[in-house]
């Protein structure tokens, strides 16, 4: 059997321990490595000729990218999960207790268990390579660092910095790491090993000491002042998570107990909390998202088809969407993009938009001005179809008008080459209707981005009946290069995301019209787990945009999509939301942090808002309609499987990740429970709540989605 760890001794008394997991591209920690490491450490301990140890990776891209997550998924009990954590503690303690200096030589990803391994070494040196990142991202999977990280990190970099790292999962770059004393030196990759060897010879005197601010020095000095830090952190966490995520509070508790009662107690608390989190439904949901997105990266979106290479893109329309699409094409995908607009103003907007995003990177020192300028040079502009003959994909982002889109298709077929893909960023027009104007309909596809483009991770790739598999595969690959998570959906009004969002938004409007206050409605859905409430979302997207989509969906899919007439009253009062500073909320008052409701909106709608229903009932009433519609989409083949439906809802509209997506949530709620809830609402509020046939069948046969 091939070994993962290889020890080689040098003549000068320094031993090199190389970790290289056979057959894997990245190093990850697995439970079965424990005995192998312990054996090597025992060997070093009893060898008087070894004067120092360097731990290094045999992989070019990673030191250790973390623990193997499928190992956690295999845990069937709290005690099994606890044992995993304790086993890590034993090995890392043995490493830390070696009497000789131990140096971690870090190049590439050093995350989670990888950073915990590095922290158990006495000294750390990393490369200045841009692949080198350090962090403890466990919180993003609903977990905490279970290999001693909650104890060693605060002792190394200070409590405040360590909590910030663990509660956000943020990644630390080499320069930052040196500044916060997470590493003791930063060097070019070519001299990583020799620097580590020199540090091992010099011993513990090479260690860098953390420089704390005067305030943090005082706060971290006694258990009473430390409690101020922990209480503040707990308050901020509760505000952010609404109590829906158990991991952050447990992270704070581990650090608190360890700093106040000592390392041994801290490790015991860490193992217990870690085990409970591994078995929690929240972590199971978050891990399912991780597995789903990893699996999706391996798929082309069309079986048997390989993507063609995209060497150049053309973006038509220099508005907010067009500017965002061109920007992720050049900065993320590094593909040259030509932006076409009918006037110069649109073009300068698109360039300014891209420049502003890159300028942030320069300000944060993530890139140099020269890199920014090189990326900007990838974006060119034109008001006519010039320099577009060689575009391999065209993304059209003009406003929603079928005749205009037909014109675009014809223009592109005339001006570009025969294999050029025409991708429409429409949010509601069926792609089949757009393709009617094409003489090469197999090249026409939908590519639906969400606003703001640079922030929203999802895109919907929409195939109509005659889109070729190669067109699908190329478009999926293009979106992935832009840093997006693409889901392939079949053609139909609203596609998937807007189709499940519309009934939810309409119901929120109905609840409002029945006398509920704007802020209590929004709060109820934030408490449920959405990033923002539906009314805030409507103001952000634009009330006029919402009003445009509803009739299209009603016409194509039926009465259950009809929006309340109240929207017309809002538009008649010139309320479009944030974009024109008039909506449900007040805009323009920069002084107050809290958003205030514009009380005059109630008069416009003709309602007196007195009632406050229970938050959970308000949330459920809006959410069940989204669930019902998601099942219809699956049943009609709009989405290929529940997995795509879950990822689409989480990444597209912020469906609560800790619930795992609409389909996982329905499974955990119980299909028959959902059906009876829908029937109860149907009696109270009308037939839009009628459960779809598939749900009724599933409830009767007792089947689940997963």
């Amino acid at each position: 059997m091939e070994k993962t760890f290889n020890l080689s001794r040098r003549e000068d008394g320094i031993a090199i321990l190389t970790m290289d997991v056979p057959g894997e591209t990245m190093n990850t920690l697995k439970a079965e490595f424990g005995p192998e490491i312990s054996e090597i450490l025992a060997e070093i301990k009893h060898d008087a000729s070894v004067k120092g140890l360097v731990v290094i990776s045999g992989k070019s891209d990673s030191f250790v990218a973390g623990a193997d997550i499928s190992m956690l998924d295999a845990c069937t009990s709290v005690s099994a999960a606890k044992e995993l954590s304790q086993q890590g503690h034993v090995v890392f303690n043995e490493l830390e207790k070696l009497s000789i200096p131990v140096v971690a030589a870090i190049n590439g990803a050093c995350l989670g268990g990888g950073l915990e391994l590095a922290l158990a070494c006495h000294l750390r040196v990393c490369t200045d390579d841009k692949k080198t990142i350090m962090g403890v991202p466990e919180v993003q999977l609903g977990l905490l660092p279970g290999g001693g990280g909650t104890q060693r990190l605060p002792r190394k970099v200070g409590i405040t910095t360590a909590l910030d790292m663990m509660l956000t999962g943020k990644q630390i770059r080499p320069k930052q790491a040196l500044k916060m004393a997470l590493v003791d030196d930063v060097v070019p990759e070519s001299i990583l090993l020799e620097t580590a060897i020199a540090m091992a010879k010099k011993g513990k005197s090479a260690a860098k000491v953390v420089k704390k601010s005067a305030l943090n020095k005082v706060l971290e000095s006694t258990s009473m002042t430390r409690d101020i830090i922990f209480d503040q952190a707990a308050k901020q966490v509760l505000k952010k998570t609404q109590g829906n995520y158990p991991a952050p509070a447990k992270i704070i508790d581990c650090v608190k107990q360890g700093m106040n009662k000592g390392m041994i107690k801290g490790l015991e608390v860490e193992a217990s909390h870690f085990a409970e989190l591994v078995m929690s439904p929240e972590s199971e949901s978050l891990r399912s998202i991780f597995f789903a997105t990893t699996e999706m990266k391996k798929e082309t979106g069309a079986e048997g088809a390989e993507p063609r290479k995209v060497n150049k893109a053309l973006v038509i329309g220099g508005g907010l969407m067009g500017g965002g699409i061109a920007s992720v094409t050049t900065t993320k995908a590094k593909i040259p993009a030509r932006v076409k607009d009918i006037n110069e103003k649109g073009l300068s907007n698109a360039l300014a938009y891209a420049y502003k995003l890159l300028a942030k990177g320069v300000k944060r020192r993530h890139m140099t001005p020269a890199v920014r300028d090189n990326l900007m040079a990838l974006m060119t502009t034109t008001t006519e179809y010039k320099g577009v003959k060689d575009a391999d994909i065209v993304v059209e982002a003009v406003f929603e008008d079928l005749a205009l889109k037909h014109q675009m298709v014809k223009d592109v077929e005339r001006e570009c080459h025969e294999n050029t893909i025409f991708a429409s960023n429409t949010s509601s027009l069926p792609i089949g209707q757009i393709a009617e104007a094409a003489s090469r309909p197999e090249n026409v596809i939908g590519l639906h981005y969400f606003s703001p483009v640079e922030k929203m991770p999802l895109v919907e790739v929409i195939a109509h009946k005659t889109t070729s598999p190669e067109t699908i595969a190329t478009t999926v690959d293009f979106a992935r290069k832009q840093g997006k998570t693409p889901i392939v959906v079949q053609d139909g009004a609203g596609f998937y995301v807007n189709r499940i969002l519309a009934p939810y938004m309409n119901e929120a409007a109905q609840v409002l019209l029945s006398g509920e206050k704007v802020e209590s409605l929004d709060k109820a859905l934030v408490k449920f787990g959405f990033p923002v409430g539906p009314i805030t979302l409507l103001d952000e997207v634009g009330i006029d945009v919402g009003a445009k989509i509803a009739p299209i969906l009603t016409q194509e899919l039926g009465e259950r999509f009809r929006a309340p007439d109240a929207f017309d009253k809002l538009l008649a009062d010139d309320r479009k939301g944030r974009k024109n500073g008039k909506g449900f909320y007040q805009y323009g008052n920069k002084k107050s942090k809290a958003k205030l409701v514009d009380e005059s909106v109630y008069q416009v709608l003709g309602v007196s808002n007195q009632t406050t229903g229970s938050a959970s009932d308000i949330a459920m009433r809006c959410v069940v309609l989204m669930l019902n519609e998601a099942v219809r989409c699956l049943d009609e083949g709009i989405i290929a499987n529940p997995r795509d439906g879950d990822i689409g809802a989480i990444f597209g509209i912020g469906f609560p990740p800790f619930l795992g997506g609409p389909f996982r949530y329905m499974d955990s709620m119980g299909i028959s429970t959902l059906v009876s809830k829908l029937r109860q609402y149907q009696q109270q509020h009308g037939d839009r709540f009628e459960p779809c046939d598939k749900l009724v069948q599933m409830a009767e046969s007792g089947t689940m989605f997963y």
Side-chain angles (χ1 to χ4, degrees):
M1 196 180 119
E2 281 185 88
K3 282 188 150 176
T4 296
F5 296 90
N6 289 296
L7 187 70
S8 64
R9 294 170 172 76
R10 290 164 45 99
E11 306 224 318
D12 55 10
I14 303 297
I16 314 290
L17 180 60
T18 307
M19 176 176 179
D20 196 341
V21 184
E24 304 273 335
T25 49
M26 295 283 238
N27 277 336
T28 57
L29 296 174
K30 302 179 199 289
E32 60 265 27
F33 296 162
E36 199 184 326
I37 304 180
S38 295
E39 201 178 303
I40 291 174
L41 294 180
E43 192 185 317
I44 293 167
K45 217 171 171 172
H46 295 112
D47 187 342
S49 71
V50 178
K51 302 281 186 279
L53 178 68
V54 172
V55 182
I56 197 163
S57 161
K59 307 284 184 204
S60 59
D61 286 354
S62 69
F63 176 69
V64 179
D68 178 7
I69 298 169
S70 47
M71 165 177 90
L72 304 178
D73 247 35
C75 286
T76 51
S77 66
V78 170
S79 59
K82 188 169 181 178
E83 209 173 293
L84 274 182
S85 172
Q86 286 168 328
Q87 190 191 346
H89 291 170
V90 169
V91 174
F92 291 162
N93 284 343
E94 284 171 7
L95 186 65
E96 193 173 44
K97 283 195 184 122
L98 286 178
S99 55
I100 55 169
V102 182
V103 183
I106 302 164
N107 179 49
C110 174
L111 299 168
L115 186 59
E116 290 176 302
L117 167 64
L119 285 165
C121 300
H122 306 134
L123 298 160
R124 283 152 295 284
V125 54
C126 74
T127 65
D128 56 8
D129 195 293
K130 62 173 183 291
K131 289 183 300 218
T132 301
I133 44 168
M134 283 151 274
V136 270
E138 286 87 345
V139 71
Q140 293 163 0
L141 294 173
L143 299 167
L144 54 76
T150 66
Q151 304 308 307
R152 288 192 180 92
L153 192 59
R155 286 172 172 81
K156 185 70 207 139
V157 299
I159 295 171
T160 322
T161 308
L163 280 175
D164 181 43
M165 280 175 70
M166 289 189 275
L167 294 172
T168 59
K170 63 163 69 156
Q171 296 184 345
I172 307 293
R173 291 162 192 270
K175 272 185 188 159
Q176 272 174 296
L178 186 64
K179 206 171 159 188
M180 61 166 69
L182 183 58
V183 296
D184 304 292
D185 203 357
V186 177
V187 296
E189 191 182 346
S190 55
I191 58 164
L192 175 65
L193 185 59
E194 61 189 84
T195 308
I197 291 166
M199 281 167 79
K201 286 179 179 167
K202 198 173 165 194
K204 296 178 186 175
S205 61
K208 200 174 183 305
V209 185
V210 63
K211 292 189 183 75
K212 293 181 192 173
S213 70
L215 176 66
N216 283 351
K217 249 187 206 150
V218 174
L219 283 175
E220 295 183 17
S221 58
T222 71
S223 72
M224 238 174 74
T225 51
R226 284 198 292 267
D227 284 348
I228 298 173
I229 302 177
F230 298 128
D231 291 346
Q232 274 309 103
K235 269 187 203 139
Q236 281 172 328
V237 157
L238 188 66
K239 193 175 159 200
K240 219 171 170 170
T241 65
Q242 299 287 322
N244 288 323
Y245 295 85
K250 285 195 185 315
I251 289 172
I252 295 168
D253 188 49
C254 288
V255 180
K256 182 176 180 172
Q257 302 238 32
M259 295 313 280
N260 290 344
K261 296 176 186 165
M263 181 100 168
I264 294 171
K265 175 70 178 166
L267 288 172
E268 169 54 34
V269 173
E270 180 185 274
S272 298
H273 281 347
F274 174 78
E276 285 161 27
L277 290 172
V278 169
M279 300 312 290
S280 70
E282 291 85 359
S283 176
E284 196 186 336
S285 292
L286 293 166
R287 295 198 304 266
S288 76
I289 298 167
F290 171 81
F291 288 125
T293 49
T294 310
E295 187 181 39
M296 289 165 90
K297 282 178 190 148
K298 298 173 189 152
E299 300 171 354
T300 63
E303 262 190 48
E306 284 303 309
R308 282 197 298 265
K309 191 167 169 18
V310 172
N311 295 307
K312 183 174 177 180
L314 167 66
V315 178
I316 305 179
L320 212 58
M321 288 307 273
I325 295 164
S327 166
V328 293
T329 306
T330 53
T331 54
K332 290 260 168 64
K334 313 277 191 288
I335 293 172
R338 195 150 173 79
V339 185
K340 182 198 175 291
D341 199 286
I342 41 179
N343 61 35
E344 291 290 347
K345 188 170 179 289
L347 297 175
S348 56
N349 280 347
L351 287 167
Y353 189 84
Y355 189 84
K356 195 171 105 192
L357 293 176
L358 288 171
K360 278 185 195 160
V362 174
K363 196 177 169 193
R364 292 186 186 138
R365 300 203 172 151
H366 290 176
M367 67 171 71
T368 60
V371 170
R372 173 201 62 202
D373 297 344
N374 287 341
L375 287 171
M376 278 307 295
L378 288 175
M379 194 182 292
T380 56
T381 58
T382 178
T383 51
E384 291 164 14
Y385 283 100
K386 285 195 177 136
V388 300
K389 186 87 188 133
D390 54 347
D392 299 306
I393 189 166
V394 175
V395 185
E396 159 280 301
V398 298
F399 56 91
E400 301 283 82
D401 176 323
L402 194 58
L404 180 64
K405 307 230 182 216
H406 280 168
Q407 187 55 51
M408 300 285 140
V409 174
K410 288 179 181 142
D411 291 348
V412 166
E413 289 194 326
R414 184 185 69 241
E415 302 290 345
C416 302
H417 61 81
E418 62 190 28
N419 288 327
T420 301
I421 292 171
F422 181 90
S424 172
N425 173 51
T426 173
S427 53
S428 55
L429 293 169
I431 304 302
Q433 290 181 15
I434 295 171
E436 279 166 9
S439 56
R440 294 191 285 271
E442 67 278 7
N443 293 343
V444 177
I445 197 164
L447 187 55
H448 179 212
Y449 295 83
F450 296 83
S451 185
V453 177
E454 73 280 1
K455 284 200 181 112
M456 296 297 281
L458 187 80
V459 292
E460 290 178 301
V461 174
I462 305 114
H464 66 94
K465 298 245 183 313
T466 55
T467 305
S468 73
E470 205 178 11
T471 296
I472 299 173
T474 307
T475 309
V476 164
D477 185 58
F478 175 67
R480 223 172 254 148
K481 287 198 168 85
Q482 293 173 323
K484 302 293 169 204
T485 297
I487 61 167
V488 178
V489 300
Q490 293 309 309
D491 197 14
F495 315 127
Y496 172 65
V497 172
N498 279 342
R499 181 167 159 184
I500 65 169
L501 182 63
Y504 161 88
M505 297 292 277
N506 283 346
E507 200 53 36
Q510 298 285 11
V511 174
L512 186 70
L513 294 171
S514 69
E516 195 61 55
K517 289 193 170 84
V518 169
E519 61 271 47
S520 53
L521 176 58
D522 270 351
K523 268 188 194 135
L525 283 134
V526 169
K527 177 98 191 85
F528 181 81
F530 281 94
V532 296
I535 305 297
T536 301
L537 183 64
L538 194 55
D539 259 4
E540 292 295 331
V541 172
I543 298 166
D544 52 335
V545 177
K548 257 199 203 116
I549 293 176
I552 299 177
L553 293 176
T554 310
Q555 183 192 333
E556 298 278 335
L557 297 164
E559 278 307 302
R560 67 178 187 279
F561 281 91
R562 187 167 297 287
D565 298 336
F567 281 125
D568 303 339
K569 294 181 184 168
L570 293 168
L571 293 174
D573 193 44
D574 192 34
R575 287 177 191 258
K576 289 179 185 165
R578 178 186 283 283
K579 65 170 92 167
N580 75 340
K582 259 180 96 173
F584 291 95
Y585 285 93
Q586 295 178 24
Y587 298 96
N589 179 10
K590 285 279 181 277
K591 283 191 200 91
S592 100
K593 272 253 166 117
K595 279 212 316 213
L596 300 169
V597 174
D598 178 354
E599 297 288 337
S600 65
V601 78
Y602 297 128
Q603 286 157 320
V604 175
L605 293 172
V607 287
S608 62
N609 284 54
Q610 309 309 338
T611 59
T612 41
S614 88
S616 60
D617 185 60
I618 292 171
M620 199 43 74
R621 194 176 141 183
C622 299
V623 170
V624 292
L625 283 169
M626 182 185 278
L627 302 177
N628 201 16
E629 205 54 46
V631 178
R632 281 198 180 95
C633 289
L634 179 65
D635 202 27
E636 292 168 22
I638 298 289
I639 45 173
N641 49 45
R643 177 203 72 183
D644 289 4
D646 281 341
I647 294 298
I650 291 167
F651 288 3
I653 43 187
F655 189 91
F658 70 93
L659 295 174
F663 293 95
R664 279 193 190 273
Y665 178 52
M666 286 186 269
D667 274 357
S668 64
M669 178 201 288
I671 308 296
S672 48
T673 308
L674 173 60
V675 169
S676 55
K677 276 197 166 97
L678 282 161
R679 287 196 168 131
Q680 177 198 335
Y681 286 130
Q682 189 181 356
Q683 284 173 342
Q684 291 170 325
H685 307 294
D687 282 341
R688 60 184 182 277
F689 283 96
E690 186 180 354
C692 68
D693 296 344
K694 187 171 172 75
L695 273 178
V696 177
Q697 286 159 10
M698 287 178 74
E700 282 165 7
S701 60
T703 44
M704 291 166 82
F705 292 107
Y706 285 97

